[in-house]
């Protein structure tokens, strides 16, 4: 039985289609990636992040990790909305922001949720000297816990950064948000 030494037309056509598809993806990688890293609620994120002096890319990264841009999301612990604000944090922040008519269901309103979330991230930035890793960890694990971890040599040798995070959920959250943040910055820096 003789082996054929030629490639069939179907094989050549298939290879050509694959090469064209790969070239398209490479040339349009940012377009493709933007499908995975959307910037929904852009007006609110830019408005409140600017007002709170926080990076809007960080806010998008947190929203993606927390709710996947679902304004009706609710966590197992009762955190609500896009930025997964707990009722306790929402009421405290609303008081600080002088939102006199605030009620806990307002946390499902994207405008209010993002306003409170941006304010809270800014508050954490002040607490943790603008250390984004500590802010992200505190956003998920609680600022009190992060402060305790920084005082514990098992988690922080320097007292300034965390080498280890004892909550697995917070450790995963930190990695996820940092990855999101990096991608949002690459894809949406001004002018790109």
């Amino acid at each position: 039985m003789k082996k054929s030494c030629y490639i069939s037309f179907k094989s050549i056509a298939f290879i050509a289609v694959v090469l064209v598809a790969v070239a398209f993806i490479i040339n349009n990688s940012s377009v493709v990636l933007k499908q995975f890293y959307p910037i929904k609620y852009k007006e609110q994120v830019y408005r409140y992040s600017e007002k709170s002096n926080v990076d809007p890319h960080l806010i998008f990264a947190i929203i993606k990790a927390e709710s996947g841009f679902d304004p009706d999301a609710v966590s197992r612990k009762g955190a609500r909305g896009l930025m997964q604000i707990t009722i306790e944090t929402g009421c405290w922040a609303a008081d600080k922001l002088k939102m006199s008519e605030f009620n806990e269901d307002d946390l499902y309103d994207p405008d209010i949720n993002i306003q409170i979330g941006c304010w809270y991230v800014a508050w954490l930035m002040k607490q943790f000297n603008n250390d984004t890793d500590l802010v992200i960890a505190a956003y998920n694990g609680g600022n009190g816990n992060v402060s305790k971890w920084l005082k514990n040599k098992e988690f922080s040798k320097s007292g300034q950064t965390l080498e280890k995070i004892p909550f697995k959920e917070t450790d995963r959250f930190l990695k996820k948000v940092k990855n999101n943040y990096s991608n949002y910055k690459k894809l949406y820096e001004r002018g790109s």
Side-chain angles (χ1 to χ4, degrees):
M1 187 179 244
K2 274 187 162 181
K3 283 190 174 181
S4 177
C5 292
Y6 69 94
I7 299 175
S8 73
F9 177 74
K10 284 183 181 179
S11 297
I12 292 171
F14 176 75
I15 291 169
V17 167
V18 169
L19 289 175
V20 168
V22 168
F24 176 80
I25 290 170
I26 289 170
N27 288 333
N28 296 290
S29 62
S30 70
V31 172
V32 172
L33 280 173
K34 284 179 180 181
Q35 300 304 308
F36 295 101
Y37 295 94
I39 54 169
K40 298 177 182 178
Y41 305 99
K42 180 179 180 177
E43 181 185 317
Q44 293 95 330
V45 169
Y46 281 116
R47 180 180 341 125
Y48 293 119
S49 64
E50 184 176 328
K51 185 176 182 178
S52 297
N53 197 30
V54 296
D55 186 343
H57 302 109
L58 178 58
I59 301 304
F60 286 120
I62 290 170
I63 292 172
K64 179 171 174 49
E66 286 286 15
S67 69
F69 293 93
D70 178 1
D72 299 318
V74 180
S75 76
R76 293 184 317 270
K77 295 180 181 178
R80 297 174 173 199
L82 291 167
M83 295 189 72
Q84 292 292 275
I85 309 291
T86 63
I87 293 170
E88 180 183 354
T89 299
C91 290
W92 169 69
D95 183 56
K96 296 290 185 186
L97 289 165
K98 302 193 183 334
M99 296 176 161
S100 59
E101 302 295 315
F102 177 82
N103 75 67
E104 57 193 49
D105 286 336
D106 289 340
L107 292 172
Y108 294 113
D109 178 329
D111 195 74
I112 292 172
N113 190 281
I114 292 169
Q115 182 180 5
I116 288 173
C118 287
W119 178 87
Y120 185 54
V121 169
W123 185 85
L124 290 171
M125 287 286 191
K126 288 177 193 159
Q127 300 302 306
F128 295 106
N129 299 315
N130 294 316
D131 185 310
T132 306
D133 285 4
L134 296 178
V135 168
I136 295 167
Y139 193 91
N140 178 268
N143 63 307
N145 286 323
V146 170
S147 294
K148 281 189 241 173
W149 300 338
L150 287 170
K151 293 174 187 168
N152 185 328
K153 295 290 183 197
E154 183 182 348
F155 308 124
S156 175
K157 290 178 177 69
S158 68
Q160 303 295 314
T161 61
L162 292 172
E163 285 85 36
K164 182 179 175 187
I165 296 175
F167 294 176
K168 287 181 183 176
E169 178 187 336
T170 300
D171 189 49
R172 282 191 301 267
F173 182 79
L174 174 62
K175 290 172 183 162
K176 187 180 207 178
V177 172
K178 284 178 67 171
N179 180 61
N180 291 349
Y181 187 31
S182 173
N183 285 314
Y184 274 106
K185 284 176 76 165
K186 285 178 200 165
L187 291 169
Y188 297 102
E189 284 286 8
R190 301 267 183 223
S192 56

